[in-house]
Amino acid sequence: MTKTITALSVQKRNKDRVSVFLDGEYAFSLSLNAALALKRGQQLSQVVIDRLQREDDGFRAYHNALHLLGYRPRSRLEIERHLRQKGYETEAIEAAMARLVANRYVDDEAFARSWLNHRERLRPRGARGLTHELRQKGVEREIIDDVLTELDEEASAWAAIEGKIHRWRGSDQMALQKKIMGFLSRRGFAYDTIRKTCQKAWEAMDS
């Protein structure tokens, strides 16, 4: 059974979408580019209608993901979770993800490096803390381990506390060590790194 396109109308609220009317009734909408291949009087089978709608779902999921990526880089898992929450079906999500990967908009290794650089600039964390964050975002352990070879944990630990040392002036060595250990431990730094940073901070305060 086929249906006839009786009208194609650009939507008033979204000029990039076209409403498709079949046999005199609104049926569905498509992107402007997809609708350019259609014309009034054209006969559409149900198979073709279903294909057009599936392709459009993937198209909308793709552009929804691009909008999300406009705010900051995301991991593959973050984007998939977002699209599921928006109600997209598995097939549309898979189509969108394939297109994102092909266009290099999704790359978990690049995302992990971006995350590391962001943390280094604004909120330094240790390897343990970074690993936990990236695993939560779905990045594979092998990628994380590779990216973290670039991390200088001792430099990061010092950067994390350097601006706070003035607050701790007047503390004895034991009290200073307790404050620094608690702070850096919560940031996921290794014990040996914390120990060295405590000593460096005490020497800096004593100078």
Side-chain angles (χ1 to χ4, degrees), residues 96-113:
M97 295 305 300
R99 190 174 174 187
L100 289 165
V101 171
N103 290 329
R104 301 187 65 82
Y105 291 129
V106 175
D107 179 334
D108 275 359
E109 183 174 343
F111 167 76
R113 284 197 165 84

PDB file of all heavy atoms in Angstrom, residues 96-113:
ATOM      1  N   ALA A  96      23.984   7.702  14.758  1.00  0.00           N
ATOM      2  CA  ALA A  96      24.587   8.982  15.125  1.00  0.00           C
ATOM      3  C   ALA A  96      26.026   8.796  15.586  1.00  0.00           C
ATOM      4  O   ALA A  96      26.928   9.547  15.196  1.00  0.00           O
ATOM      5  CB  ALA A  96      23.768   9.653  16.225  1.00  0.00           C
ATOM      6  N   MET A  97      26.267   7.768  16.407  1.00  0.00           N
ATOM      7  CA  MET A  97      27.604   7.536  16.924  1.00  0.00           C
ATOM      8  C   MET A  97      28.570   7.162  15.799  1.00  0.00           C
ATOM      9  O   MET A  97      29.722   7.603  15.794  1.00  0.00           O
ATOM     10  CB  MET A  97      27.582   6.434  17.988  1.00  0.00           C
ATOM     11  CG  MET A  97      26.806   6.783  19.247  1.00  0.00           C
ATOM     12  SD  MET A  97      27.333   8.320  20.058  1.00  0.00           S
ATOM     13  CE  MET A  97      29.040   7.943  20.426  1.00  0.00           C
ATOM     14  N   ALA A  98      28.103   6.364  14.858  1.00  0.00           N
ATOM     15  CA  ALA A  98      28.965   5.983  13.734  1.00  0.00           C
ATOM     16  C   ALA A  98      29.390   7.213  12.943  1.00  0.00           C
ATOM     17  O   ALA A  98      30.548   7.347  12.529  1.00  0.00           O
ATOM     18  CB  ALA A  98      28.229   4.997  12.832  1.00  0.00           C
ATOM     19  N   ARG A  99      28.463   8.130  12.758  1.00  0.00           N
ATOM     20  CA  ARG A  99      28.765   9.354  12.011  1.00  0.00           C
ATOM     21  C   ARG A  99      29.695  10.265  12.809  1.00  0.00           C
ATOM     22  O   ARG A  99      30.624  10.867  12.255  1.00  0.00           O
ATOM     23  CB  ARG A  99      27.460  10.079  11.679  1.00  0.00           C
ATOM     24  CG  ARG A  99      27.622  11.239  10.713  1.00  0.00           C
ATOM     25  CD  ARG A  99      26.269  11.800  10.340  1.00  0.00           C
ATOM     26  NE  ARG A  99      26.392  13.008   9.527  1.00  0.00           N
ATOM     27  CZ  ARG A  99      25.368  13.766   9.171  1.00  0.00           C
ATOM     28  NH1 ARG A  99      24.138  13.441   9.546  1.00  0.00           N
ATOM     29  NH2 ARG A  99      25.564  14.860   8.446  1.00  0.00           N
ATOM     30  N   LEU A 100      29.488  10.351  14.109  1.00  0.00           N
ATOM     31  CA  LEU A 100      30.345  11.172  14.966  1.00  0.00           C
ATOM     32  C   LEU A 100      31.778  10.651  14.970  1.00  0.00           C
ATOM     33  O   LEU A 100      32.736  11.414  14.904  1.00  0.00           O
ATOM     34  CB  LEU A 100      29.789  11.202  16.394  1.00  0.00           C
ATOM     35  CG  LEU A 100      28.507  11.996  16.609  1.00  0.00           C
ATOM     36  CD1 LEU A 100      27.893  11.634  17.965  1.00  0.00           C
ATOM     37  CD2 LEU A 100      28.755  13.493  16.530  1.00  0.00           C
ATOM     38  N   VAL A 101      31.921   9.334  15.063  1.00  0.00           N
ATOM     39  CA  VAL A 101      33.249   8.719  15.063  1.00  0.00           C
ATOM     40  C   VAL A 101      33.929   8.929  13.711  1.00  0.00           C
ATOM     41  O   VAL A 101      35.113   9.281  13.635  1.00  0.00           O
ATOM     42  CB  VAL A 101      33.151   7.215  15.399  1.00  0.00           C
ATOM     43  CG1 VAL A 101      34.502   6.528  15.170  1.00  0.00           C
ATOM     44  CG2 VAL A 101      32.705   7.024  16.845  1.00  0.00           C
ATOM     45  N   ALA A 102      33.168   8.722  12.630  1.00  0.00           N
ATOM     46  CA  ALA A 102      33.728   8.891  11.283  1.00  0.00           C
ATOM     47  C   ALA A 102      34.222  10.315  11.058  1.00  0.00           C
ATOM     48  O   ALA A 102      35.228  10.539  10.379  1.00  0.00           O
ATOM     49  CB  ALA A 102      32.679   8.527  10.232  1.00  0.00           C
ATOM     50  N   ASN A 103      33.532  11.285  11.647  1.00  0.00           N
ATOM     51  CA  ASN A 103      33.913  12.693  11.501  1.00  0.00           C
ATOM     52  C   ASN A 103      34.876  13.167  12.587  1.00  0.00           C
ATOM     53  O   ASN A 103      35.193  14.349  12.665  1.00  0.00           O
ATOM     54  CB  ASN A 103      32.664  13.576  11.501  1.00  0.00           C
ATOM     55  CG  ASN A 103      31.841  13.411  10.245  1.00  0.00           C
ATOM     56  OD1 ASN A 103      32.370  13.130   9.174  1.00  0.00           O
ATOM     57  ND2 ASN A 103      30.525  13.575  10.355  1.00  0.00           N
ATOM     58  N   ARG A 104      35.294  12.209  13.447  1.00  0.00           N
ATOM     59  CA  ARG A 104      36.268  12.478  14.517  1.00  0.00           C
ATOM     60  C   ARG A 104      35.761  13.484  15.551  1.00  0.00           C
ATOM     61  O   ARG A 104      36.546  14.188  16.189  1.00  0.00           O
ATOM     62  CB  ARG A 104      37.620  12.923  13.940  1.00  0.00           C
ATOM     63  CG  ARG A 104      38.242  11.894  12.997  1.00  0.00           C
ATOM     64  CD  ARG A 104      39.645  12.301  12.581  1.00  0.00           C
ATOM     65  NE  ARG A 104      40.561  12.304  13.721  1.00  0.00           N
ATOM     66  CZ  ARG A 104      41.157  11.220  14.210  1.00  0.00           C
ATOM     67  NH1 ARG A 104      40.919  10.038  13.679  1.00  0.00           N
ATOM     68  NH2 ARG A 104      41.986  11.311  15.226  1.00  0.00           N
ATOM     69  N   TYR A 105      34.452  13.536  15.724  1.00  0.00           N
ATOM     70  CA  TYR A 105      33.887  14.359  16.790  1.00  0.00           C
ATOM     71  C   TYR A 105      33.887  13.598  18.113  1.00  0.00           C
ATOM     72  O   TYR A 105      33.758  14.202  19.180  1.00  0.00           O
ATOM     73  CB  TYR A 105      32.459  14.789  16.455  1.00  0.00           C
ATOM     74  CG  TYR A 105      32.371  15.778  15.311  1.00  0.00           C
ATOM     75  CD1 TYR A 105      31.520  15.559  14.235  1.00  0.00           C
ATOM     76  CD2 TYR A 105      33.144  16.943  15.319  1.00  0.00           C
ATOM     77  CE1 TYR A 105      31.434  16.472  13.186  1.00  0.00           C
ATOM     78  CE2 TYR A 105      33.073  17.855  14.283  1.00  0.00           C
ATOM     79  CZ  TYR A 105      32.219  17.616  13.223  1.00  0.00           C
ATOM     80  OH  TYR A 105      32.146  18.504  12.178  1.00  0.00           O
ATOM     81  N   VAL A 106      34.001  12.279  18.027  1.00  0.00           N
ATOM     82  CA  VAL A 106      34.067  11.439  19.220  1.00  0.00           C
ATOM     83  C   VAL A 106      35.341  10.612  19.144  1.00  0.00           C
ATOM     84  O   VAL A 106      35.556   9.865  18.197  1.00  0.00           O
ATOM     85  CB  VAL A 106      32.847  10.501  19.323  1.00  0.00           C
ATOM     86  CG1 VAL A 106      33.014   9.556  20.516  1.00  0.00           C
ATOM     87  CG2 VAL A 106      31.576  11.310  19.483  1.00  0.00           C
ATOM     88  N   ASP A 107      36.173  10.780  20.146  1.00  0.00           N
ATOM     89  CA  ASP A 107      37.453  10.072  20.200  1.00  0.00           C
ATOM     90  C   ASP A 107      37.836  10.014  21.681  1.00  0.00           C
ATOM     91  O   ASP A 107      38.229  11.026  22.272  1.00  0.00           O
ATOM     92  CB  ASP A 107      38.503  10.843  19.389  1.00  0.00           C
ATOM     93  CG  ASP A 107      39.871  10.181  19.402  1.00  0.00           C
ATOM     94  OD1 ASP A 107      40.178   9.457  20.367  1.00  0.00           O
ATOM     95  OD2 ASP A 107      40.638  10.402  18.460  1.00  0.00           O
ATOM     96  N   ASP A 108      37.684   8.853  22.294  1.00  0.00           N
ATOM     97  CA  ASP A 108      37.902   8.762  23.742  1.00  0.00           C
ATOM     98  C   ASP A 108      39.339   9.063  24.152  1.00  0.00           C
ATOM     99  O   ASP A 108      39.577   9.571  25.250  1.00  0.00           O
ATOM    100  CB  ASP A 108      37.481   7.383  24.251  1.00  0.00           C
ATOM    101  CG  ASP A 108      35.989   7.317  24.547  1.00  0.00           C
ATOM    102  OD1 ASP A 108      35.297   8.341  24.365  1.00  0.00           O
ATOM    103  OD2 ASP A 108      35.508   6.241  24.965  1.00  0.00           O
ATOM    104  N   GLU A 109      40.301   8.778  23.288  1.00  0.00           N
ATOM    105  CA  GLU A 109      41.685   9.106  23.628  1.00  0.00           C
ATOM    106  C   GLU A 109      41.889  10.625  23.646  1.00  0.00           C
ATOM    107  O   GLU A 109      42.504  11.172  24.573  1.00  0.00           O
ATOM    108  CB  GLU A 109      42.649   8.465  22.640  1.00  0.00           C
ATOM    109  CG  GLU A 109      44.115   8.710  22.998  1.00  0.00           C
ATOM    110  CD  GLU A 109      45.079   7.965  22.097  1.00  0.00           C
ATOM    111  OE1 GLU A 109      44.648   7.022  21.404  1.00  0.00           O
ATOM    112  OE2 GLU A 109      46.269   8.333  22.097  1.00  0.00           O
ATOM    113  N   ALA A 110      41.349  11.304  22.637  1.00  0.00           N
ATOM    114  CA  ALA A 110      41.438  12.766  22.601  1.00  0.00           C
ATOM    115  C   ALA A 110      40.666  13.369  23.766  1.00  0.00           C
ATOM    116  O   ALA A 110      41.104  14.364  24.370  1.00  0.00           O
ATOM    117  CB  ALA A 110      40.894  13.288  21.273  1.00  0.00           C
ATOM    118  N   PHE A 111      39.516  12.774  24.096  1.00  0.00           N
ATOM    119  CA  PHE A 111      38.732  13.262  25.234  1.00  0.00           C
ATOM    120  C   PHE A 111      39.517  13.132  26.533  1.00  0.00           C
ATOM    121  O   PHE A 111      39.545  14.059  27.357  1.00  0.00           O
ATOM    122  CB  PHE A 111      37.419  12.480  25.345  1.00  0.00           C
ATOM    123  CG  PHE A 111      36.713  12.708  26.651  1.00  0.00           C
ATOM    124  CD1 PHE A 111      36.020  13.884  26.885  1.00  0.00           C
ATOM    125  CD2 PHE A 111      36.780  11.747  27.660  1.00  0.00           C
ATOM    126  CE1 PHE A 111      35.388  14.103  28.110  1.00  0.00           C
ATOM    127  CE2 PHE A 111      36.154  11.965  28.883  1.00  0.00           C
ATOM    128  CZ  PHE A 111      35.456  13.149  29.100  1.00  0.00           C
ATOM    129  N   ALA A 112      40.169  11.984  26.733  1.00  0.00           N
ATOM    130  CA  ALA A 112      40.930  11.761  27.963  1.00  0.00           C
ATOM    131  C   ALA A 112      42.070  12.774  28.088  1.00  0.00           C
ATOM    132  O   ALA A 112      42.332  13.292  29.179  1.00  0.00           O
ATOM    133  CB  ALA A 112      41.473  10.337  27.998  1.00  0.00           C
ATOM    134  N   ARG A 113      42.733  13.067  26.979  1.00  0.00           N
ATOM    135  CA  ARG A 113      43.808  14.067  27.010  1.00  0.00           C
ATOM    136  C   ARG A 113      43.255  15.457  27.324  1.00  0.00           C
ATOM    137  O   ARG A 113      43.858  16.232  28.076  1.00  0.00           O
ATOM    138  CB  ARG A 113      44.559  14.073  25.680  1.00  0.00           C
ATOM    139  CG  ARG A 113      45.506  12.912  25.519  1.00  0.00           C
ATOM    140  CD  ARG A 113      46.525  13.126  24.410  1.00  0.00           C
ATOM    141  NE  ARG A 113      47.598  12.148  24.540  1.00  0.00           N
ATOM    142  CZ  ARG A 113      47.544  10.918  24.065  1.00  0.00           C
ATOM    143  NH1 ARG A 113      46.478  10.526  23.392  1.00  0.00           N
ATOM    144  NH2 ARG A 113      48.543  10.071  24.247  1.00  0.00           N
TER     145      ARG A 113
END
